[in-house]
Amino acid sequence: MSVVFDGGSLKGMQSSHSHTAPSALSAQELSQEIKSFISGVDAVQGRKLSVREHARCAVRLLRCVPACRGAVLEHLRGVYDEHVSMFLHNLETEGSSTSNLEDIIQEVHGVLSEFIRLNPRAWAPLVSTWAVDLLGQLSSKHAGRRVAPHSSSLNELLQLWMSCAATRSLMEAYSQCLAAMLAWCPDACVDALLDTSVKHSPHFDWVVAHIGSAFPGTIISRVLACGLKDFCSHGAKDQGLLAEKGSRVPKISSVVGILGHLAAHHSDSIRKELLRMFQESLIPSTPLSPTSSSSSWEASPQLRRAAVPFLLQLAALSPNLFGAVSSELVELLRPPVLLQLQSLLQGLPREELDNMLGLAVHLISQSPTGGARVLKFLADTATPASVIISGPTPSPNEGVREGCDRLLQMLLLHLHKLVFNRSDGAETGLVGSASSQPQRVTPFLEELRSHVGQLCAETLRLERKRHLWLHQLLCLLSVYGGPSVATETLCQLLTQARNPEELALAWQLHTTLSSCMAGLIPAAVAHCVAQIHTHTLEPRQLRQLLLNLAAAIQSQDEERKGTAGGQSSMAVQIGLAVSGHLHDFGPLLLHGDPAVSNATVRLLSCSPLPRTSSPAHLLLLSRASVTHFFLALRRRGEARKAGRDMGQTGEAVSCSVLLLSRFAAYSPLTLKAILQQLVEGALHKGNADLFGGQIADMSGAPLASPSVSSDLGASLLDINCRFGTTVNFSGSVWSVFHAGVIGKGLKVRTAANQPDPSGVIQNIQTLLAVLVQCCSSSSLNGSQSPSDPGEPLPINAEAAKVVAVTLVENVCPDVANGELSWPPEEHARTTVERDIHIRRCFEAHPVLFPLLQVVAAGRPALCYCSAVLRGLLATLLSHWEASREASSKDSPWHLQASCLLVSCMGEGQLLPPVLANVHEAFAYLNPFEVRLLLLAVWEYVRGNGPLPQKFVFSPDKGMFCRDFSRDGDVSRYVAPIHSVLHKNIDRLGHLCWRFQL
């Protein structure tokens, strides 16, 4: 037995012994204890000592003879090993017996703990080396046991060994030593730990992990430094991906395991230490003096050059470590750091650089977080300087840019292989995929799935090279993510593109994906519709989406001209997809944002109509289209008044006219609905001012503005109810209704606001154009096209009848549809109130006469306006009879109304030509003579009722015509006309030929 110690240590041990020995042994007893310990036989009784008795003898010597500490500690190794073996055996056999050595372990632990506490400088180095070496031996010796397999994680091994009293005692003793030595000599304790770790790795990693949890700041840096030295000693050639993990670089796998265990509670410390190692490796080498807390690797240029490859390999073996530093690493890679990194890597061999690039590509593709930031960094750095937008920081030099360019190209190539060579997984959404195995996950692409919108926005910036890289990445991401991601990507491009060049990227994406995905366009349009329903898109985005869809559909026309190339198939598919969702786009016609509604009408006006559609959807679309038409007219008028550019508003009106004409030609149901709603809308009080009309009351009289009308405090209804039982107003020719309030006199007539005449005329012409187009569709009514292509299509009689009936219902709702024949002129006295209402409606709505002209052109539709014509003519006869003016020109409205009325009746062939021309003479006559001519008109219509049966369809003209020769002699109705002509021959001589039979 050899014992080596110095005098100071012996004095310290003796001092500690004097405090801890329960009772001093005599020289004879001490001699017997030493003999018993050496021989293993009881010196008094002469029998062999048991393991327990031999261990107690060793503990007594440790207390009383400190010089024997080396031999005692060496003997205690076997005691601890015996206890560990019995502990593991009990676990394997599931026995309940406990070791009889546990109290000895506790006694030894108490003695050593007391020695370390009282004299740490003497005992801590000795005990720490013994404890950590014994832990390494025990871990390696029993690593193959069934309860401690190699495949167990550090946490499982830690729980196993810490449940054993022997190993737990050793761990606590070493921790006490390390805590005591940190203040004055930490390196000796940590070096022993790491040397043992290298010797017994990886079975010893649980010890380092536990100690690292207790002393993270010291252990983490020392573990990394040890791993770096070991990595450098094995050579950089073993860092490639083809090398087996941990086979040729034994320490790095232990480093990964230890840091992985510590990451649960000390991730910040690990991240800071990794980043510090990276930053320190870039700083040029300078002579450094080793300190007590430094691992001294910074002083070695060789270790500095190996730090970056070591960190890459470390990250490749532990994705968690890479994820912990990747986000901050990207922020750290500013131009100055990139230049330092380039200068560091320039001296590496070509093969080693290629291996590092491949390892970096692998790390990026397997990175579970921060992929979007890494991609942005690579794209920003690799983009040429003329278009890079990196803020105030200076751009890297060309070498750095080329390196990032190469790295990005390698990344895209690697991702392409991962996406298209997934032999062990199913390609979701790919045609012909029959595999039921789960798809292989690529973390980088998986993380980018949530950044599709940002990627599309960056791609649409159309920067050189950059948009090509990102577009290629979007294609790979779409194939990887399947139909859902492909649909989202295409929808984002359609939503964000702002010009044809940007929209072309969507066509290119579809061209690439169409070969492996079916039904992409319908799914993208359905996704867009879903976003509309959920109000996901802002008005600006929604408008752009609608305009892009319209541009896509309109590209079919360019294809017919041979200029669109391969866009035709996509344009047709978008058109068909949009036509299936017309009822979803229809409500957008009434969107609160005019830009959105204008974009919607542009889309719907060029979209193909579906082959079949439900009546409910058709009626909703028709109503929305008509409402938008009037809104577009109003916006055009507001733009004219404000002096703004009318290009957009004018285009909206044109598209709205086109949309209405296409809907009207779709089916009889939509034709009738649109015509009815156009007429009703033109006469509605909200739209009356567009066509020069005024808001009228129930009698048809214009209402005074609210600012002029005062509250009279009287209810006409109450007063009429009070007088209704005593006063009979019906049947009296002289009764006047709605002329005022009883007891307050006549209503005050106020001057109505006169709209812009040019705007009114333009609006009326637009309305008539819509009605004529809707009523002239040859594909709907089967009417023949005119022989001359320059001639307009004839107005369909059924369509004109719809306009006529709707007009009558709105002007005079109480008129029965069967009132076609005219009674004698005296009969008008019984319908005076209704006739006044009709006349006031014509006064309040100048658009009624143009509507009558449209009806008259669709013979015999004007017959169904008989009651309105009769009431209007009756009031005109009454006016001219009561007029005392010298000339008919003194009543301008009545003169114009009389002329237009006779002209419409002549156009509708309710009058023969000789009577239809009388309005040409009205301006030259006095009121009484005008009444005579109108009375002749009344008598003719009364004698020859305006019945549709009198009209016969003419195939040559493509319209209905009336043969007046069957109505008898017309000369008796012309006699008053000739009389008036003779009387005014000086003024009407040039018109005599117009009234020849």
Side-chain angles (χ1 to χ4, degrees):
M1 177 180 62
S2 61
V3 179
V4 180
F5 60 91
D6 57 4
S9 299
L10 178 59
K11 293 179 181 178
M13 293 175 188
Q14 291 174 344
S15 174
S16 63
H17 167 68
S18 64
H19 287 84
T20 60
S23 60
L25 296 177
S26 63
Q28 183 180 0
E29 291 175 339
L30 188 59
S31 176
Q32 291 177 352
E33 289 290 345
I34 293 175
K35 290 180 181 179
S36 298
F37 174 74
I38 295 174
S39 62
V41 178
D42 192 338
V44 178
Q45 301 179 3
R47 62 178 178 82
K48 186 177 181 179
L49 297 174
S50 65
V51 176
R52 178 183 179 84
E53 293 172 341
H54 203 168
R56 285 197 176 277
C57 179
V59 172
R60 286 194 294 270
L61 288 179
L62 186 63
R63 289 179 179 273
C64 301
V65 188
C68 299
R69 64 189 186 279
V72 171
L73 293 178
E74 187 67 25
H75 173 74
L76 291 178
R77 288 176 182 266
V79 178
Y80 276 75
D81 181 52
E82 180 71 18
H83 180 271
V84 170
S85 299
M86 190 173 298
F87 170 78
L88 295 177
H89 177 72
N90 289 336
L91 289 180
E92 291 172 348
T93 59
E94 298 182 358
S96 59
S97 62
T98 59
S99 172
N100 57 358
L101 299 176
E102 188 166 345
D103 56 340
I104 299 298
I105 300 296
Q106 295 177 356
E107 187 175 351
V108 172
H109 178 72
V111 173
L112 294 178
S113 177
E114 185 69 12
F115 284 170
I116 296 169
R117 184 180 65 83
L118 294 176
N119 194 352
R121 288 183 177 270
W123 284 96
L126 175 67
V127 174
S128 64
T129 304
W130 170 77
V132 76
D133 184 61
L134 181 55
L135 281 172
Q137 291 181 2
L138 294 176
S139 300
S140 298
K141 178 179 179 180
H142 300 285
R145 302 289 288 267
R146 180 169 59 86
V147 294
H150 297 289
S151 59
S152 300
S153 66
L154 282 179
N155 288 329
E156 294 175 352
L157 290 176
L158 186 60
Q159 292 177 6
L160 171 67
W161 290 116
M162 291 302 289
S163 63
C164 177
T167 51
R168 183 173 64 251
S169 171
L170 294 173
M171 183 70 75
E172 292 175 355
Y174 179 80
S175 299
Q176 185 180 3
C177 294
L178 181 59
M181 296 172 65
L182 281 179
W184 49 276
C185 184
D187 281 355
C189 196
V190 175
D191 286 342
L193 176 70
L194 294 179
D195 291 341
T196 308
S197 174
V198 173
K199 183 178 179 180
H200 297 284
S201 179
H203 314 302
F204 188 72
D205 292 345
W206 70 273
V207 178
V208 182
H210 180 75
I211 299 300
S213 299
F215 308 94
T218 302
I219 299 300
I220 292 174
S221 61
R222 301 290 302 188
V223 166
L224 284 175
C226 179
L228 174 60
K229 294 175 182 178
D230 190 76
F231 176 83
C232 187
S233 64
H234 281 76
K237 62 180 180 179
D238 296 328
Q239 69 173 331
L241 290 175
L242 298 179
E244 296 182 5
K245 295 181 180 179
S247 61
R248 306 180 69 179
V249 187
K251 188 53 189 172
I252 194 168
S253 58
S254 298
V255 173
V256 170
I258 294 169
L259 296 181
H261 175 79
L262 297 178
H265 302 287
H266 304 285
S267 58
D268 290 340
S269 300
I270 294 175
R271 181 175 64 253
K272 292 178 181 178
E273 190 61 32
L274 290 173
L275 293 175
R276 188 193 70 82
M277 176 173 281
F278 173 74
Q279 290 176 303
E280 290 291 338
S281 67
L282 300 181
I283 300 176
S285 299
T286 55
L288 297 176
S289 58
T291 62
S292 60
S293 61
S294 173
S295 57
S296 73
W297 67 268
E298 297 91 339
S300 172
Q302 183 181 4
L303 292 179
R304 286 177 176 273
R305 287 194 299 269
V308 173
F310 166 70
L311 292 176
L312 283 176
Q313 184 67 23
L314 192 66
L317 294 175
S318 177
N320 293 332
L321 294 179
F322 177 67
V325 300
S326 60
S327 58
E328 293 191 20
L329 184 62
V330 172
E331 295 296 330
L332 189 65
L333 293 177
R334 295 301 178 187
V337 178
L338 290 175
L339 292 176
Q340 292 176 350
L341 183 61
Q342 183 198 23
S343 61
L344 178 67
L345 300 179
Q346 276 180 345
L348 296 179
R350 177 74 177 185
E351 180 181 359
E352 191 171 343
L353 281 175
D354 291 342
N355 290 337
M356 289 184 59
L357 285 178
L359 190 57
V361 167
H362 171 76
L363 286 174
I364 295 173
S365 64
Q366 299 302 318
S367 173
T369 57
R373 301 178 68 179
V374 172
L375 177 65
K376 185 178 186 303
F377 163 74
L378 292 177
D380 287 343
T381 310
T383 306
S386 58
V387 293
I388 190 172
I389 303 174
S390 57
T393 59
S395 301
N397 64 6
E398 195 62 28
V400 173
R401 197 182 315 282
E402 291 176 357
C404 283
D405 189 342
R406 184 182 176 194
L407 180 60
L408 192 55
Q409 295 284 4
M410 292 178 63
L411 175 63
L412 292 175
L413 180 60
H414 181 66
L415 293 175
H416 189 277
K417 293 178 180 179
L418 292 178
V419 169
F420 287 98
N421 295 336
R422 292 175 291 176
S423 57
D424 61 334
E427 291 83 353
T428 303
L430 299 184
V431 177
S433 175
S435 175
S436 59
Q437 298 180 6
Q439 175 184 337
R440 180 190 297 175
V441 175
T442 303
F444 178 74
L445 294 177
E446 198 71 27
E447 199 257 345
L448 287 182
R449 293 179 63 167
S450 60
H451 297 82
V452 171
Q454 296 90 323
L455 289 176
C456 291
E458 289 293 323
T459 305
L460 293 174
R461 292 170 64 181
L462 295 180
E463 295 181 358
R464 285 188 311 173
K465 286 190 175 183
R466 183 191 187 98
H467 81 279
L468 299 178
W469 296 326
L470 297 180
H471 191 269
Q472 183 179 354
L473 182 61
L474 285 175
C475 294
L476 295 175
L477 188 61
S478 300
V479 176
Y480 170 82
S484 60
V485 177
T487 299
E488 172 68 18
T489 304
L490 187 58
C491 183
Q492 288 286 347
L493 291 177
L494 289 174
T495 304
Q496 299 185 28
R498 293 162 295 182
N499 51 59
E501 291 77 14
E502 295 179 359
L503 191 58
L505 294 178
W507 308 155
Q508 296 173 13
L509 179 69
H510 174 260
T511 302
T512 304
L513 299 179
S514 59
S515 59
C516 59
M517 292 187 184
L520 185 57
I521 293 298
V525 174
H527 185 72
C528 295
V529 171
Q531 288 186 324
I532 293 174
H533 286 314
T534 56
H535 303 283
T536 305
L537 302 177
E538 299 177 356
R540 180 185 58 81
Q541 296 175 325
L542 180 56
R543 169 186 174 272
Q544 195 62 57
L545 171 63
L546 298 172
L547 291 178
N548 289 336
L549 291 176
I553 296 175
Q554 290 173 342
S555 65
Q556 297 182 67
D557 299 333
E558 299 179 1
E559 163 63 17
R560 297 188 184 99
K561 300 176 183 178
T563 59
Q567 300 178 9
S568 61
S569 60
M570 183 176 180
V572 173
Q573 292 183 53
I574 288 183
L576 294 177
V578 171
S579 67
H581 292 279
L582 287 185
H583 58 281
D584 296 305
F585 290 104
L588 296 179
L589 291 169
L590 307 180
H591 196 276
D593 191 337
V596 174
S597 61
N598 294 344
T600 304
V601 73
R602 180 177 175 183
L603 171 62
L604 297 183
S605 64
C606 64
S607 302
L609 299 178
R611 294 183 178 180
T612 58
S613 186
S614 65
H617 289 164
L618 292 177
L619 291 177
L620 288 176
L621 284 172
S622 301
R623 183 169 295 278
S625 301
V626 172
T627 305
H628 177 270
F629 169 74
F630 291 111
L631 289 176
L633 291 182
R634 184 170 299 281
R635 290 166 185 164
R636 184 176 66 179
E638 293 173 353
R640 181 190 298 105
K641 291 181 180 179
R644 300 193 303 267
D645 183 18
M646 297 174 54
Q648 293 184 353
T649 56
E651 180 185 5
V653 172
S654 301
C655 292
S656 184
V657 171
L658 177 59
L659 176 62
L660 290 174
S661 62
R662 295 179 71 238
F663 274 165
Y666 181 71
S667 69
L669 174 65
T670 55
L671 172 64
K672 183 177 181 180
I674 287 176
L675 291 177
Q676 287 179 339
Q677 292 161 15
L678 280 174
V679 175
E680 292 174 355
L683 300 179
H684 189 269
K685 61 182 180 180
N687 302 323
D689 59 315
L690 294 175
F691 309 100
Q694 303 173 14
I695 302 177
D697 59 11
M698 294 180 60
S699 66
L703 292 176
S705 61
S707 59
V708 177
S709 302
S710 57
D711 186 8
L712 301 178
S715 172
L716 182 61
L717 177 62
D718 294 341
I719 297 175
N720 283 340
C721 291
R722 206 179 311 145
F723 282 86
T725 57
T726 57
V727 181
N728 184 13
F729 291 100
S730 62
S732 174
V733 179
W734 309 107
S735 31
V736 179
F737 295 88
H738 310 296
V741 178
I742 297 175
K744 301 295 182 180
L746 296 176
K747 291 181 180 179
V748 179
R749 295 286 180 175
T750 58
N753 296 327
Q754 296 297 329
D756 180 20
S758 60
V760 170
I761 294 174
Q762 186 180 20
N763 291 338
I764 292 177
Q765 290 176 346
T766 305
L767 176 65
L768 294 182
V770 174
L771 290 173
V772 170
Q773 290 187 28
C774 294
C775 296
S776 303
S777 176
S778 59
S779 60
L780 171 66
N781 52 55
S783 60
Q784 299 179 357
S785 300
S787 56
D788 186 1
E791 293 183 6
L793 291 173
I795 293 180
N796 177 254
E798 291 298 325
K801 178 183 176 181
V802 174
V803 178
V805 173
T806 307
L807 189 148
V808 173
E809 290 176 352
N810 284 270
V811 171
C812 191
D814 59 340
V815 173
N817 291 334
E819 296 185 27
L820 299 183
S821 59
W822 285 33
E825 188 260 343
E826 292 78 6
H827 180 73
R829 297 177 181 179
T830 62
T831 58
V832 60
E833 182 181 4
R834 186 179 74 182
D835 296 343
I836 293 175
H837 172 79
I838 292 173
R839 191 202 68 191
R840 286 178 173 175
C841 283
F842 274 84
E843 289 179 346
H845 300 283
V847 74
L848 283 175
F849 280 113
L851 293 178
L852 280 180
Q853 291 174 340
V854 174
V855 174
R859 306 166 193 162
L862 194 61
C863 297
Y864 298 96
C865 294
S866 177
V868 173
L869 298 177
R870 183 174 66 245
L872 181 59
L873 184 55
T875 58
L876 291 174
L877 286 172
S878 299
H879 170 79
W880 294 121
E881 181 182 11
S883 176
R884 296 298 180 265
E885 303 294 341
S887 172
S888 60
K889 294 182 179 179
D890 295 329
S891 300
W893 186 90
H894 297 83
L895 175 61
Q896 182 185 22
S898 301
C899 295
L900 292 174
L901 177 61
V902 175
S903 174
C904 289
M905 296 176 67
E907 177 66 23
Q909 291 192 342
L910 301 187
L911 299 174
V914 66
L915 289 177
N917 297 331
V918 297
H919 67 281
E920 298 178 9
F922 286 169
Y924 304 97
L925 305 179
N926 57 46
F928 178 74
E929 294 170 336
V930 173
R931 180 182 181 277
L932 289 179
L933 299 184
L934 290 178
L935 192 58
V937 171
W938 179 286
E939 290 298 330
Y940 177 84
V941 179
R942 186 179 68 83
N944 303 276
L947 303 177
Q949 296 84 349
K950 296 183 178 182
F951 291 80
V952 179
F953 184 74
S954 174
D956 298 336
K957 298 181 180 180
M959 59 190 305
F960 289 87
C961 296
R962 179 177 178 180
D963 187 3
F964 290 99
S965 61
R966 298 181 179 181
D967 294 337
D969 187 14
V970 189
S971 59
R972 65 191 186 92
Y973 303 105
V974 182
I977 299 176
H978 290 168
S979 175
V980 172
L981 285 174
H982 292 163
K983 182 180 179 182
N984 301 281
I985 193 65
D986 55 333
R987 290 177 293 170
L988 302 179
H990 64 288
L991 297 178
C992 290
W993 67 276
R994 300 281 287 164
F995 304 99
Q996 299 298 322
L997 295 175

